[in-house]
Amino acid sequence: MFSVNFAIIFPFIIAALVPFLYRRIKFVHIGWFVMLVPITLFILLARLIPSVASGKTFFHTYNWIPSLDINFTTYLDGLSMIFGLLITGVGSLVILYSIFYLSTKESLQHFYSYLLLFMGAMLGVVFSDNLMVLYVFWELTSVSSFLLIAFWNHRKASRQGAQKAMLITVSGGVAMLVGFIMLHTMTGTFSVREIVLSIRDFTDHTLFLPTMILVLLGAFTKSAQFPFHIWLPDAMEAPTPVSAYLHSATMVKAGIYLVARFTPVFGGDQVWFWSVSVIGMMTMFWGSFNAVRQPDLKALLAYSTISQLGLIMSLLGLGSIALNIGYSADSIIYTQATFAALFHLINHSTFKGALFMVVGIVDHELGTRDIRRLGGLFTLMPFTFTIAVIGGLSMAGLPPFNGFLSKEMFFAATVQISNADVFSLQTFGVIFPIVAWIASIFTFVYCLIFIIKTFLGPAQPEKLDKPIHEAPVGMLISPLILCAFVVGIFFFPDLLGKYILQPSMASVYPTFGDPKELTPSIYAWHGFNAELMMTIGVIVIGALLYNQLKKWKPVYGLFSQKYTFNMLYNSMLSSTEKGSTIVTKGYMTGFLRDYLVYIFVFFIVTVGGFLFYSGAFSIDISTDASIRVYEAILVGVMAVAAVAMLFAKSRITATLLNGVLGYSIAIFFVIFRAPDLALTQLVVESVTTALFLLCFYFLPEWKRETSSSKTKLTNAIVSIGVGVVVMLVAFSVLNYEKFETISRYFENAYELAGGANIVNAILGDFRGFDTMLEVVVLFIAGLGIFTMIKLRAKKEDADIEN
Amino acid sequence: METLIIILIGILTAVATYLILSRNIIRVILGTAVFSHAVHLLILTMGGLKKGSVPLLKEADAPYTDALPQALILTAIVISFAVTAFILVLAYRAYQDLGSDDLHALRGTNDE
Amino acid sequence: MPAQFLLNLFIAFLWMVLQDEDELKITTFFSGFLVGIGIIFLMHRFFGTQFYLRRLISIIKLFFIFISELAASSVLISKQILSPKLKIKPGIFTYKTKLRGDWEITTLAMLLTLTPGSVVMEVNPEGDMFYIHAMDLEKSKADVLRSIGKFEKAIMEVTR
Amino acid sequence: MWKGGLLLNTSQIIELGAALLILLGSIMSVISAFGIIRLPDVYTRSHAATKSSTLAVLLSLSGAFVYFWVHEGFISVRLLLGIVFVFLTAPVAGHLITRAAYRSKVKLTDNSSDDALKEVLFPEDK
Amino acid sequence: MVEKILLTALALFAFSIAIALYRIIKGPSMPDRTVALDMIGVNLISSIAVISIVLKTKAFLEAILILGILAFISTIAISKYVERGVIVEHKSDN
Amino acid sequence: MRINDVILRTVTKIVVFIILTFGVYLFLSGHNTPGGGFIGGLVLASAFVLLYLSSDIESVQKSLPLDFKMVAAFGVLLATSTGFGSLLLGVPFLSQTFAYFDLPIFGKTELTTVTIFEAGVALAVVGVVVTIILSISEDE
Amino acid sequence: MNNIIVLPLILPIMVGVLLVFLRPYIRLQRIISLLTMIGVACISVYILNRIQTEGIMRLDFGGWKPPFGILFVADSFSALLVLTASVVTAICLIYAFSSIGERHERMFFYPFILFLVAGVNGSFLTGDLFNLFVCFEVMLLASYVLVTLGGEKAQLRESIKYVVINILSSWFFLVALAYLYGTVGTLNMAHISERVAEAGQGPLLTTVSILFLIVFSLKAGLLLFFWLPGSYSAPPTVIAALFGALLTKVGIYALFRTFTLIFYHEPSITHNLIGIMAGITLIVGCMGAVAYKDVRQIASYNVVIAVGFMLIGLAVGTQTSLEGSIYYIIHDMIAKAMLFLLVGTMIVLTGVTKFDQMSGLIRNYPLFSWMFFVVTCSLAGIPPLSGFVGKVLVGQGAIENGSYVLVALAFISSVVVLYSLLRIFLNSIFGETIISPEDELPLKKGLLIPIVLLGIGTISLGLEAEVLSSYVSDAANTLFNPSIYIDAVLSGNK
Ligand code: NA
Ligand code: NA
């Protein structure tokens, strides 16, 4: 049995091998070798179609991080089969196409590595049952897409496009990840199948709604839904095979896959219905509306893809309503939207793949994609023209092409949904058919633009760098195969319906009994009904609009460039950057004093604040030891000496005052019965003073502090605050009902450690380890000082590094 | 006595804080020195003052004053000596190479 | 002179052994040493040299001279400090000493400095001239010079 | 019985004497402290400081020595060594400070009568 | 009686220290301060001796000698600093 | 007039020996009276400091040709290896033992491994303090 | 006898001191120091595995039973950190061999590195709070020296700030220790925990705990990270890498230890405060990471972000989130070392510090460039690299605990991390190559190999997370159930 896990890993392995093979295989284009991968996988998958069609699913687990419930579990069912076939099928064709598109001068080893990486990742996304693993592959698609978009990374636009795509899709992915984690929190599992089975118990959970929104964010960003669509046009900087593969047929459909996959989880919910369908509709409209004004063929296709993805998305939204109503004879009608979605998904992949390849051919052969420089190609590029017509008309929703069938089903679904009596659709439902219809008109218009402005009308060879000529045969094979599907599906739709769509309907509606019920027969002709009227309307109005394009095009001027989402994205990035710079440099002043003030203020606020807020402060002087006169005088001496340090005019005075403090502390150590301390303090203080004097030789006399009085006042307040807080906590600690200290134990020092000096016994024995490390500290300091003095920057060294 | 010493600790701390906020590096270093004085007294005070005799077993009789804080302070004194020595040398090395002992002048060039 | 000292040690040891005690005691040794001092003092002429502890006696003498000078001038200085009005005229004067060698010069300078009212500020590079700061030049210069004389004599008794 | 009392009294008296010695020392110390305030220049002040306080320390250390001897029968070599040490070092300190003062051009008080060092050290200032 | 005398003496020593501190703060010259610091050292020596008596312990007698040593070393160091700016010379000129 | 340091140097000759003796005493007696490796080491170091103060680096170096960095390193090594010894003996790290011996001259004497440990500490302290002072002073 | 657990500290120290004697023999120094770190790594693997079978290991120094003596306690958490620290140091040493230069090597570079590691390992292992202070100081002193080593102007300038702020934090540490000793009268961490539990963590003890929070936050760079960006961008690359990998982790370790073992009774105050601090740290860290064009600054602010992230695990305080943080700490040690080595090498190769002044490095240094991409993805938590598991578990714990704001901040921060590093990648690695072939500096193998090793580390740690899982879950379990630690230390004195 062929393991799906292997199917996922296989491209990764080959991807890793490609750079090595590339070095070995000089005589033949490496693409031929690479192409074997998707073809093999496609054949392996295709052989499973009959079993899947009969309702069988394949499930396989490979332990990865079992202790965290993260396992490489794959699940092959109808839904994943569709995507698996698309990924491998379109993948094979795209690689074939790319063999002729990319010259051997390009760094092919990178290209095909990335492409295989992407393929594996994409297969991983659609076959993974474990959400974490799904996410792993999800992000890998973003990463590989990033690499592919930035393939010509010496171009600034490529890099920017790659960054935009990566940021938006990864951000969505991160949101989705949070959603997945929340699902795990609710259901206790990462397995989609198990979640589908148990989710009904959690629909009232507080996390249910946030989870749904987060998962949708992932889907919407990936599938370029409004307003996240902005990355897709910029992603057209990628080589055209990449656009044909990732940005029309596969990666952008990952979001569709996710929504379809999660329909059984969230499908019955009102928020799900409205957000998926409305966002889809908006995307569809906005995409088609904007496609019309694109002078760049590839950009036109990008917006068209956005629009078509919106269409599919909205259909999935509409279809989810069936889950709210529940399985009944009435609700089956609503599942047809989902059916249409899956159907159009396939259709779109076929015609859009072909169209991208057409643009690739034009670009490759003529060196431009700008419709203002093109026209009249049909005579010299007849095959290309044919492909363009087939693809374009299918996209426009005309017979005899597959796009017509799914477009009609789409209209039907919108009309039906406006009659549903849940979710206030009685009132608002009517917007669906209206928006669908308007969007389709624009779709029709840009399809005409695509075909007519490129291939018909007068040729403008003077605007081209190269003579007009037909593409090599190799480049035409792939789009022609896709066109064959475009036409073939129109004539034999039920074959697709039965073997491919029906099992996937079972995946979306697992609770809906026999999937056969959910699978309608698809007819090209279904009488004069609402959808056909709508289609006719689209053609008539569309043709009119195309004719009058020059007159109404200024309408686009109303949509100021300033307020596009693209500008929003750009200004968000740049203002984040600017704002961050201002804020960061605002507090990271480089002044030590400022940093210290932050730290002190934080100390005062948290420690002092909490001390009072919690009522922990207490003071009790009754248990104090007595005070002698001389002690009081010495305390006074220390206080005065300390304060005098602040006003000392010369550094040496201050140093001497510090010495006075040190000596006075020594005498307090005497008063407090700490002979060892007194000795140490005395020596250390003297040596320290000597060090100060030594260093003063190298340092200038200090000047008056010239800080502003405001700074000084702040410093004073902070200082007093710190002093007071330290003092108050000390009072409270002193008044705390103490535990017996562990020190009593050390009073047996003589028996235990053979020393009568307890302090020394502690230092040498009980806590000898501290002493040992303390010596190390001292040693490091000594050695470090030596190093600091002896090792100086070489004069000629720049101040940058090493 | 404890109260008095704690007030002294408060004063020393405040003075040290003010010093460490200065622009002149020597004042800052002196601030760190005063900080150590304050905390050494604090450790001793927190262990209790004059609560027993000198912690020498043959010298005096129990109860002994708490010896553990004394050992801790001893360690702390030596460490703060090491650190003070280091930063002093650092200060003059910085002055030699950067030509200033004013921390305002040692702000550093941020990029852009 | 070292011979005298060795002999003294020998006598002390002999004394200790003669005591025939169970263990050797440092106190016994010490008393033996004292006995030895007495014997040697009586017999030192046999060696043809001076009694080796004479120097010690000179040192003790010097010490007492110094203590009395110290006390006297302390009282003087205290009076001056405590008198309601300061009536002093300080100044620096020079003194050329007969003493030679680091130890002699140092001792003299230290004694002078310890005695209130005078501080040796500088010694010239040749080491025979003192620059002395006096608290009250007019009144106490004579006293100081008298002290210096006493000290010089006492020091030479020790060293020569 | 009373003999023991007398013995005790003797040592008490000696202890008292030691204490008085210390008191005297402390008084000397205060006097020299006054000197340090009242005297007009650093040179005269150094007289007060090095001398009087040397005496003060001599007195108090001797007092302590006597006290420990009498009270605990303990002859403290360290105290004796301390006295010796002070005597060894105090004059050197006084000498060095005044020399340093003069060489760093700290002025003598105005009513100084004579300055034999000036022509030797700073002939150019004449 | 003895203790009272000793405490009085201690107070007087402390008082002297306070006065010396005044001189340190006031200056005006560096040698003035050095003299005063030296004096503080000497008074501390006396104080430790007296405190030892009051506390009836010999534990601090080492401190007396140490303090003597250190006061000496500090004074030399400061004097040399005042006089020459450098306190440890490479090679003295004589 | 050149400075004549005769007084300082002469007195230092005596004083240094007093300090050195005292330092060794403090180091040895630390177990029962105030003192120990640290203090002993510090006092020894201050004796060296006094030497450098009263004389100059070159002359001290001539009569005392020691690399104090190495002294310090040796000290640290000594202090740590007493701990390491216990590793070999299979007792907890830094286990100290002590015993009393009757020695001819010193009488009943306590010998402990702590003494070795403390000797390391003292050497390290001396080495470091002198290294620091010399490093600074030798700087031009 | 558990003497083996002192080796991660004592071995580097003794070898470090020995190397002082071997000053002229640089090759020998290199070999010995590398062997030492490899040895320590092996030892810690052994320790880690013994803990799994025999439970927490403890070593009472001098044989003094707790709470009276000092002791080392090795649980899975500390052993894991010791292991990671040692491995990272060993790898960084290899980088140092061909980057640091003989001048530094002659000036005791290797001893200082070994002392630094000793301090770090000691901090991870000690069971005594005052000893923790001392171990901190060992580490800090070594870091002070290393940050100034070479004496460049920027180093001197920034190190003053670094040293002063750390002196201040050490001071706060001592103050906190004084207060704690004044209240509970003991220093042994397990014993403190027992006494705090016995007395109830009243307002005063909570106040003291906040002070400890400040102390360790200063070390960890939690909110109070002002010392960090400057001092991490001044020293030579390898030192910056070690700093980035190790220094903040010690503070983080201390926060985890104290606030799970000792002050865990008032989470509504302390852990919430940590949460707030972590949140703000994430925000300002993110701002810093996009504010600068200097690649080292960006790397430094990435350290800050990671600190915030790791502390969320503590703030949330569930076993899952603790587990996540532990994974993340291990990951971050490796990935941050790698990042700092990469940006440092970039600066060496190009001679400029800002990413917009570099371009197209991938042409000349492809493997190096891919390593940068790997670390970018790793730090952004992109699976299956090492940052992922920790990220997921922290998020999971936080969600279970209802800390949604922290979850949001944590996950948004990983996007910002991605953005900040992607900017470098796109501008410096990708793009037109501006260095002509003749100006191109060769990338020494000695610089590339350690980077690749770390890259392999971050990849395999992600792919083979299961290898760690039993250790990490044991570590989290011990943190979550303080009684395990306390029992191991205080009862059944071995
Ligand atoms: Na300190
Ligand atoms: Na005199």
Side-chain angles (χ1 to χ4, degrees), chain A residues 434-643:
Chain A
I434 293 172
V435 175
W437 189 69
I438 295 172
S440 297
I441 292 172
F442 284 108
T443 304
F444 189 79
V445 174
Y446 70 67
C447 288
L448 289 185
I449 292 174
F450 183 87
I451 298 168
I452 296 170
K453 299 240 168 166
T454 314
F455 292 96
L456 304 176
Q460 313 177 64
E462 72 281 0
K463 289 186 182 170
L464 299 173
D465 305 329
K466 302 177 185 174
I468 302 171
H469 59 277
E470 183 57 284
V473 185
M475 278 179 99
L476 293 170
I477 299 171
S478 292
L480 282 172
I481 294 174
L482 286 170
C483 283
F485 276 102
V486 169
V487 179
I489 290 173
F490 178 81
F491 289 108
F492 308 103
D494 286 337
L495 216 58
L496 197 69
K498 190 181 167 204
Y499 286 100
I500 304 290
L501 299 177
Q502 180 180 307
S504 63
M505 287 301 280
S507 307
V508 180
Y509 299 101
T511 53
F512 273 45
D514 188 357
K516 273 186 193 135
E517 278 188 69
L518 311 176
T519 314
S521 285
I522 309 164
Y523 301 106
W525 175 251
H526 34 70
F528 279 106
N529 51 10
E531 47 266 36
L532 188 63
M533 300 309 288
M534 283 166 87
T535 304
I536 292 168
V538 164
I539 294 168
V540 173
I541 308 276
L544 207 69
L545 278 179
Y546 174 77
N547 207 257
Q548 304 296 316
L549 192 57
K550 276 194 185 125
K551 287 193 181 151
W552 62 272
K553 216 173 179 181
V555 171
Y556 286 103
L558 294 176
F559 297 88
S560 162
Q561 286 295 318
K562 252 187 184 170
Y563 302 109
T564 62
F565 287 98
N566 229 348
M567 296 306 288
L568 189 72
Y569 167 87
N570 288 334
S571 69
M572 208 175 78
L573 275 191
S574 67
S575 64
T576 307
E577 207 172 294
K578 262 185 215 141
S580 298
T581 309
I582 290 166
V583 170
T584 307
K585 288 185 177 166
Y587 72 89
M588 293 300 288
T589 54
F591 298 137
L592 175 63
R593 180 253 174 200
D594 292 352
Y595 302 160
L596 294 172
V597 167
Y598 306 149
I599 295 167
F600 285 128
V601 168
F602 188 77
F603 166 74
I604 295 169
V605 169
T606 53
V607 175
F610 185 74
L611 187 72
F612 274 96
Y613 159 79
S614 66
F617 175 66
S618 63
I619 182 167
D620 177 18
I621 56 170
S622 62
T623 56
D624 270 19
S626 58
I627 305 174
R628 308 279 197 200
V629 178
Y630 68 98
E631 294 166 348
I633 296 176
L634 286 173
V635 168
V637 164
M638 285 188 72
V640 171
V643 174

Side-chain angles (χ1 to χ4, degrees), chain C residues 73 109-120 133 144, chain D residues 47 51:
Chain C
S73 43
M110 281 167 62
L111 292 175
L112 269 174
T113 309
L114 269 173
T115 321
S118 55
V119 173
V120 176
H133 183 273
V144 172
Chain D
H47 285 281
K51 266 60 88 201

Side-chain angles (χ1 to χ4, degrees), chain A residues 49-58 77 502-503 506 515:
Chain A
I49 291 175
S51 349
V52 172
S54 67
K56 223 175 147 201
T57 58
F58 298 89
D77 65 350
Q502 180 180 307

